[in-house]
Amino acid sequence: MSSNDIFEMDSVTETEEMEGDTEVGMIDEEVVYPEEFLPTYHSIKEGATVTKALLAEFNDKPDSLFFNDGTRRIDFILVYEDEDKKDFEKRHTFQRRKRRREYFEASLMQMGMELEATKSVIDDKLFFVKIHMPWDVLCTYAEVLHIKLPIQPNDLSSRPSPWRYLSCITKHFYPSEELIGKETEFFTAPFEKDRLDYFYVKDKDIFFTPAMRSRMAYYILSRAPYEIRGNIKKFGITKLLDGGVYKAAYPLHDCRFNVKSKEEGCPNERFLLYEEWAHPKSFYKMQPLDLIRKYYGEKIGIYFAWLGFYTIMLTLAAVVGLGCFIYGYKTQETSTWSKEVCDPEIGGKIVMCPQCDRECKYWRLNSTCEASKKLCIFDNYGTLVFAVFMSIWVTLFLEFWKRYQAELEYEWDTVEFLEQEQQPRPEYEAKCIYERKNPVTGVKEKVPYTACGRCVRVSIGIGTVLFWILLIVASIVAITVYRLAAFFAFSARLRAQDLKELEPLKEYVTPQMATSVTASLISFVVIMILNILYERVAIWITDFELPRTKTDYENSLTLKMFLFQFVNYYSSCFYIAFAKGKAVGYPGQPVYLLGKYRNEECDPGGCLIELTTQLSIIMGGKAIWNNIQEVLLPWVKNLIFRHCTSVHSEKVIPRWEQDYQLQPVSKLGLFYEYLEMVIQFGFVTLFVASFPLAPVLALVNNLFEIRVDAWKITTQFRRVVPEKAQDIGAWQPILQGIAILAVATNAMIIAFTSDMIPRLVYYWSFSVYPYGDNSTNTMEGYINASLSVFNIEDFSNFSRPLGKVPNITTCRYRDFRYAPGHARQYEYNVYYWHVIAAKMAFIIVVEHIVYLTKFILSYVIPDVPYAVKEQIKREKYLTQVILHETNLKLVSKRLIPAHDETLKDTVANVVAMEEMDLDF
């Protein structure tokens, strides 16, 4: 291949397309596609007539997965619209598409694939191109993709299940063994075409599974050229789909999801998955992970394995969280400080200072009675215990997941998922124009950019992400300004009138609550809008960076999207938890935002109830929104499509056309599924100290999520192209980062957002001598001690309340300051400094204890179970022995009979060579 050859995936302008002859431009026979990418590729001679796919009539077998001859299996389907039946005005555009399509199909046939086209039963304009990969082509590309295939049945005894004694009970919670039997386990090795005799080939038709065949077919489709002009080669099914040359490309489902196939030998795996996994009646059953992996590939399988494991682990957290909530609910009526707020003789006689300038009125503390009772449910000592428990739980979850993941890697043959198994993306290959020396192999290779060019691309990407994060910060400031303005309006209206229409809810609708709910709803809408906009930007940036493999691409996109989503979803929660009410000054000298808006204050009980409200709205709204997107939209789209293309009942629709009526799979694949769960994981761990019911809501949501995702992928979408995956990718370090951050956030929520530390300081120090008058430690008098006194004569002219002043001389506000008349009036008192010292000490002690515990657990729990390590070593040893013995047998058969000594020497040499290099 010439060093000047340029691979291109972008379409050129329409004018350029029409220049020159209508004959397809070809290149010299000597120039071929790089052999390491497409070993079977051979260019077509210039001026040669391109071979077209044979046109065959539908054979009235709706469940058939084969060509009309009944022997060649369909490995992939391409769908196009007949260009000759288009409008005359646009005929030139469609003729260009036709030339590209015909050249693309000719290239596929040049590479050994077999094609057969069939006209649509429903729409005469549509054609379906069926693709079959012969045995020789399958063997070639199985070696290119390093696909592991069986050598010999696995004779290792599996570890007995600890639940085997309860099998009479547990069997009801597993898929039916009569329908989904346990598959035979094999020792496997990367396939090599020249050593076919080593492999356990019982039947060539089933040696490569349909998932493997589809994966190899898509590999070729992604790299086959569709146009060549001079030294510019354009290739890839992706661009043909984007340009409208083909309308769809997908592998086939093996049957209808709710009806078994009538074809003999059909495994009906889709039907089994629906019956035992996706159907609502199976919601209580464990997932058939091996069948999911076999049908959809390791990438889909590892996602559902992780989601199922996360849901099981959530059960323990949900039970403890529910117990904490019940404890708070039962003790809300016995809380001393809440009783004081509601007591007419205490809270009823405490007049609170206005919380905004001029328009706000004085108000009685007992007007927040119901809010204080609700706060007791979440702000109690049980919450502290639960927050520490969740910090330990998240460590156990991650460590046990690593162990479970290691078991899956062994069972699914991804233990040695090497770099060479991940082929470069077509978009990366298309831009490879610079040469460099590979630092590992020392061989010259082509790359799409220089070191400086890569640095520029990454810098532009980082700059763009930072710009969008700053945009989120700007939206947070705007919402904060709204909160201040709305609080001003609600305070003036709700406390100035009786509002008869709100009479049943009057005691619950406080200015703080009204502001919090409306701001949370606005925040949720802003989050959704920014998500839609940023998704396009993140994809564009990642495309611009040109990652080498698809895994690199997904990891890069994952990091960008999560950084944005983290700030987008959690920023409002961080504001309420750690910023709101922390810098408000005091009534005579309030703090203003932007010099105009007075900073909002928390309720007398603290901001914790507002944080709980924010979390519940975002978690609930997000769950509802995601279910609408994931369930309702695909179902409605399929319903409309079926209605628009409805045919008479006497017409039989083939399998490939039934699948075409389903929804196409998203280009981002499982990205949004993972993102949804990881964002939820953040809510469950980062702010759980303010909302113990978060694990309960997450558990309920996940029980639905597993079945909804299963139902969606099995019934509403075309079959995905199977992909290899060893783990959950970039999401693993993200989860670990959230787990570390969760310890700090929960400790700070308890210290700075809740009133637990001030109450403890009062109970142990300020309720008794020398600061208090009580003889024993008590919570009585806490409300009076936690509210400072302000002389209404000290109001500034700008903030002095309008209207008639009640018969009072002082009002109270939430802070720890000296009373008027004191030598240091309105300065922080000794109680304040005691509380600050206690808060800092609490954070330091709790963080160190929890982090130490997490470190010990991480060290004690090995990432790979000992039994799995032994099985991996045993398999490697037996595989080497098998290959060694097989080599000896082959050499012995091929040797010409000779003297015994010569034969012994030859065999001995072969043995020595095999011992030196048993590399497969």
Side-chain angles (χ1 to χ4, degrees):
M1 185 179 67
S2 172
S3 60
N4 296 322
D5 288 343
I6 301 173
F7 293 97
E8 182 67 64
M9 292 192 70
D10 298 323
S11 57
V12 297
T13 61
E14 204 166 281
T15 307
E16 291 173 327
E17 298 294 344
M18 293 310 300
E19 290 177 356
D21 198 352
T22 55
E23 190 177 276
V24 180
M26 307 298 171
I27 60 172
D28 296 334
E29 188 179 10
E30 294 78 25
V31 182
V32 297
Y33 199 89
E35 190 171 336
E36 65 270 21
F37 296 148
L38 289 175
T40 59
Y41 173 71
H42 299 285
S43 58
I44 305 171
K45 289 184 179 180
E46 186 173 355
T49 304
V50 293
T51 308
K52 297 182 180 180
L54 294 175
L55 189 63
E57 293 295 325
F58 173 49
N59 58 6
D60 291 330
K61 294 182 179 180
D63 294 327
S64 176
L65 302 174
F66 296 87
F67 281 19
N68 277 9
D69 57 16
T71 57
R72 289 177 293 174
R73 171 180 286 276
I74 300 171
D75 297 317
F76 225 87
I77 291 290
L78 302 178
V79 186
Y80 71 89
E81 210 167 7
D82 189 4
E83 296 86 354
D84 295 330
K85 297 184 179 181
K86 291 291 183 181
D87 298 334
F88 180 78
E89 302 84 46
K90 298 181 180 179
R91 184 68 61 85
H92 63 281
T93 302
F94 296 112
Q95 288 302 316
R96 181 184 75 238
R97 292 181 181 176
K98 181 178 180 180
R99 290 198 309 273
R100 287 184 166 184
R101 177 177 54 76
E102 290 179 348
Y103 185 84
F104 183 73
E105 292 173 5
S107 298
L108 294 178
M109 287 186 277
Q110 278 288 103
M111 286 184 274
M113 302 178 91
E114 297 176 2
L115 276 61
E116 182 179 88
T118 301
K119 186 182 289 187
S120 168
V121 173
I122 298 172
D123 186 352
D124 289 339
K125 295 179 182 179
L126 281 183
F127 283 83
F128 294 84
V129 180
K130 296 168 279 187
I131 297 175
H132 168 75
M133 296 184 69
W135 171 256
D136 190 57
V137 178
L138 287 170
C139 292
T140 300
Y141 285 96
E143 185 172 352
V144 170
L145 296 177
H146 300 270
I147 294 177
K148 288 187 176 181
L149 289 160
I151 300 175
Q152 173 182 307
N154 188 342
D155 57 357
L156 292 178
S157 59
S158 59
R159 185 174 56 177
S161 171
W163 306 103
R164 62 187 182 279
Y165 301 111
L166 301 174
S167 59
C168 57
I169 299 174
T170 57
K171 69 179 182 180
H172 300 292
F173 295 93
Y174 285 86
S176 171
E177 293 184 1
E178 296 177 0
L179 296 176
I180 304 178
K182 189 172 178 62
E183 294 186 9
T184 307
E185 294 185 3
F186 289 91
F187 294 127
T188 60
F191 185 78
E192 287 189 20
K193 191 175 179 180
D194 296 335
R195 300 184 178 184
L196 184 61
D197 294 338
Y198 298 169
F199 291 90
Y200 190 78
V201 185
K202 204 171 184 180
D203 185 349
K204 286 186 177 182
D205 292 335
I206 61 173
F207 180 63
F208 296 103
T209 65
M212 293 177 186
R213 300 173 70 108
S214 300
R215 183 178 159 209
M216 288 185 274
Y218 187 74
Y219 176 84
I220 298 175
L221 289 171
S222 300
R223 289 157 176 79
Y226 59 82
E227 185 176 66
I228 298 180
R229 286 175 171 268
N231 62 350
I232 298 179
K233 308 173 182 61
K234 301 178 183 178
F235 61 90
I237 186 65
T238 306
K239 283 296 175 182
L240 293 178
L241 290 169
D242 293 341
V245 177
Y246 287 102
K247 296 183 72 66
Y250 50 90
L252 284 180
H253 282 297
D254 63 354
C255 65
R256 295 170 64 185
F257 71 86
N258 55 354
V259 179
K260 280 190 174 183
S261 172
K262 297 178 182 177
E263 289 289 308
E264 184 179 354
C266 179
N268 292 298
E269 290 174 348
R270 187 189 184 195
F271 173 79
L272 296 178
L273 285 171
Y274 177 73
E275 286 294 314
E276 294 296 312
W277 179 48
H279 198 286
K281 71 178 182 181
S282 303
F283 78 94
Y284 62 92
K285 291 185 178 181
M286 301 295 285
Q287 302 182 86
L289 293 176
D290 288 334
L291 184 58
I292 297 170
R293 172 247 181 174
K294 180 183 176 184
Y295 192 74
Y296 290 115
E298 287 80 6
K299 195 167 190 176
I300 299 285
I302 201 76
Y303 163 73
F304 281 103
W306 176 81
L307 181 56
F309 185 83
Y310 171 47
T311 304
I312 291 172
M313 288 293 290
L314 268 177
T315 306
L316 177 60
V319 170
V320 179
L322 186 61
C324 178
F325 175 79
I326 293 172
Y327 168 79
Y329 184 80
K330 292 291 186 182
T331 58
Q332 64 173 329
E333 298 293 340
T334 62
S335 171
T336 304
W337 68 270
S338 179
K339 286 180 178 179
E340 290 186 349
V341 171
C342 299
D343 191 342
E345 296 300 318
I346 301 176
K349 292 184 177 180
I350 295 178
V351 178
M352 301 296 293
C353 298
Q355 292 185 311
C356 66
D357 295 328
R358 301 177 70 82
E359 295 294 336
C360 292
K361 308 296 182 183
Y362 297 96
W363 52 286
R364 301 283 177 179
L365 180 61
N366 65 348
S367 64
T368 61
C369 175
E370 290 300 322
S372 68
K373 288 182 180 179
K374 299 299 176 287
L375 182 62
C376 291
I377 299 175
F378 303 103
D379 192 1
N380 55 67
Y381 300 125
T383 304
L384 171 60
V385 175
F386 185 57
V388 174
F389 165 80
M390 286 301 294
S391 299
I392 306 301
W393 172 88
V394 72
T395 303
L396 293 174
F397 163 66
L398 292 175
E399 291 304 316
F400 285 128
W401 164 246
K402 289 178 187 175
R403 291 171 61 84
Y404 184 50
Q405 186 172 257
E407 293 178 11
L408 292 178
E409 287 176 14
Y410 170 72
E411 293 175 7
W412 293 355
D413 288 324
T414 59
V415 174
E416 297 177 350
F417 186 50
L418 304 176
E419 180 72 22
Q420 62 263 30
E421 291 185 54
Q422 301 186 64
Q423 302 299 324
R425 295 166 56 244
E427 294 85 353
Y428 178 90
E429 296 168 1
K431 304 293 184 182
C432 288
I433 57 176
Y434 300 101
E435 278 195 353
R436 72 153 191 175
K437 187 177 181 180
N438 189 301
V440 178
T441 62
V443 179
K444 283 188 176 182
E445 63 178 6
K446 286 190 175 291
V447 293
Y449 35 63
T450 60
C452 181
R454 177 173 174 78
C455 182
V456 170
R457 288 171 183 266
V458 173
S459 300
I460 292 175
I462 294 173
T464 309
V465 172
L466 290 177
F467 168 77
W468 276 83
I469 289 176
L470 290 175
L471 191 63
I472 299 174
V473 173
S475 70
I476 297 168
V477 173
I479 292 173
T480 304
V481 171
Y482 163 80
R483 295 176 72 100
L484 302 179
F487 178 75
F488 178 86
F490 284 127
S491 296
R493 180 166 171 75
L494 294 180
R495 290 202 171 116
Q497 306 175 29
D498 288 338
L499 296 181
K500 293 180 180 178
E501 64 272 16
L502 292 177
E503 192 62 38
L505 303 173
K506 184 180 176 183
E507 57 185 2
Y508 300 101
V509 183
T510 62
Q512 288 91 347
M513 183 58 66
T515 303
S516 179
V517 171
T518 55
S520 298
L521 292 173
I522 293 173
S523 177
F524 174 73
V525 173
V526 171
I527 285 171
M528 291 296 118
I529 293 174
L530 287 177
N531 280 350
I532 295 171
L533 296 176
Y534 181 74
E535 177 190 325
R536 300 175 182 272
V537 176
I539 293 173
W540 177 82
I541 295 170
T542 311
D543 289 340
F544 179 72
E545 288 178 357
L546 274 180
R548 182 177 181 273
T549 64
K550 188 165 185 181
T551 300
D552 294 338
Y553 180 89
E554 290 176 348
N555 290 346
S556 178
L557 181 62
T558 296
L559 185 59
K560 291 182 183 66
M561 287 294 289
F562 180 76
L563 284 174
F564 177 83
Q565 300 279 11
F566 183 88
V567 179
N568 201 8
Y569 277 108
Y570 301 139
S571 55
S572 56
C573 296
F574 274 101
Y575 165 75
I576 295 173
F578 307 122
K580 184 182 176 183
K582 302 301 183 289
V584 295
Y586 61 95
Q589 193 177 341
V591 177
Y592 292 91
L593 179 66
L594 306 176
K596 181 180 179 182
Y597 299 100
R598 179 172 168 176
N599 280 2
E600 58 181 332
E601 302 177 25
C602 295
D603 273 325
C607 286
L608 197 70
I609 194 69
E610 291 187 46
L611 181 58
T612 304
T613 303
Q614 180 82 4
L615 284 170
S616 57
I617 287 177
I618 292 181
M619 283 189 71
K622 189 172 177 296
I624 295 171
W625 177 261
N626 286 335
N627 284 325
I628 290 174
Q629 282 189 313
E630 293 180 8
V631 181
L632 197 58
L633 289 182
W635 181 76
V636 170
K637 286 180 180 178
N638 287 336
L639 195 65
I640 294 173
F641 187 85
R642 284 193 293 268
H643 177 73
C644 294
T645 58
S646 58
V647 294
H648 300 294
S649 57
E650 64 266 14
K651 286 194 176 182
V652 179
I653 304 176
R655 170 81 266 135
W656 49 85
E657 199 150 358
Q658 294 175 39
D659 283 6
Y660 178 65
Q661 295 177 354
L662 300 176
Q663 288 297 303
V665 180
S666 168
K667 289 183 179 180
L668 294 178
L670 292 170
F671 174 78
Y672 277 108
E673 309 299 334
Y674 274 118
L675 180 64
E676 178 186 351
M677 289 296 103
V678 172
I679 292 293
Q680 181 206 87
F681 180 80
F683 282 126
V684 168
T685 54
L686 291 174
F687 305 101
V688 75
S690 66
F691 193 33
L693 284 180
V696 179
L697 297 182
L699 175 63
V700 174
N701 177 76
N702 287 9
L703 290 174
F704 284 100
E705 183 73 21
I706 291 175
R707 304 304 161 179
V708 165
D709 285 348
W711 175 82
K712 178 180 66 176
I713 197 175
T714 306
T715 67
Q716 301 301 307
F717 283 84
R718 298 169 189 158
R719 189 172 182 177
V720 300
V721 179
E723 293 183 51
K724 197 90 168 175
Q726 187 178 27
D727 48 37
I728 60 175
W731 298 109
Q732 184 81 24
I734 287 174
L735 291 173
Q736 292 172 338
I738 292 175
I740 293 171
L741 183 61
V743 178
T745 55
N746 284 301
M748 293 176 70
I749 285 172
I750 292 172
F752 293 110
T753 309
S754 79
D755 256 13
M756 190 175 298
I757 302 300
R759 291 201 294 268
L760 287 172
V761 171
Y762 177 81
Y763 180 82
W764 291 107
S765 298
F766 284 80
S767 64
V768 293
Y769 181 82
Y771 300 106
D773 300 328
N774 299 301
S775 58
T776 58
N777 299 100
T778 180
M779 283 302 297
E780 293 180 3
Y782 168 72
I783 290 298
N784 187 60
S786 65
L787 297 176
S788 299
V789 181
F790 179 75
N791 191 336
I792 63 174
E793 296 297 328
D794 293 334
F795 274 118
S796 65
N797 292 331
F798 181 74
S799 59
R800 187 181 300 277
L802 299 175
K804 186 178 178 181
V805 179
N807 188 23
I808 57 173
T809 57
T810 60
C811 61
R812 309 297 290 272
Y813 61 99
R814 177 184 164 82
D815 213 337
F816 305 109
R817 294 177 184 266
Y818 288 112
H822 192 278
R824 298 172 60 188
Q825 67 174 6
Y826 302 135
E827 293 183 16
Y828 290 121
N829 59 23
V830 66
Y831 192 173
Y832 171 83
W833 298 112
H834 274 71
V835 169
I836 289 296
K839 287 180 176 180
M840 300 307 296
F842 173 82
I843 291 173
I844 293 171
V845 171
V846 169
E847 280 190 353
H848 280 68
I849 292 175
V850 174
Y851 280 135
L852 179 62
T853 308
K854 288 166 69 70
F855 173 78
I856 293 173
L857 288 173
S858 300
Y859 180 78
V860 170
I861 302 174
D863 292 346
V864 182
Y866 178 78
V868 173
K869 285 183 180 179
E870 293 300 312
Q871 286 176 320
I872 292 171
K873 290 177 183 178
R874 175 70 175 164
E875 181 174 336
K876 283 184 177 180
Y877 170 75
L878 291 178
T879 302
Q880 288 184 346
V881 170
I882 292 166
L883 297 179
H884 178 67
E885 292 178 351
T886 307
N887 280 341
L888 284 179
K889 290 177 182 177
L890 289 175
V891 171
S892 300
K893 287 180 182 178
R894 291 171 183 170
L895 283 174
I896 300 173
H899 297 292
D900 289 343
E901 293 297 325
T902 306
L903 184 60
K904 287 180 181 178
D905 291 341
T906 305
V907 173
N909 290 334
V910 171
V911 171
M913 291 174 63
E914 292 296 331
E915 287 177 350
M916 291 175 63
D917 184 11
L918 288 175
D919 183 21
F920 205 71

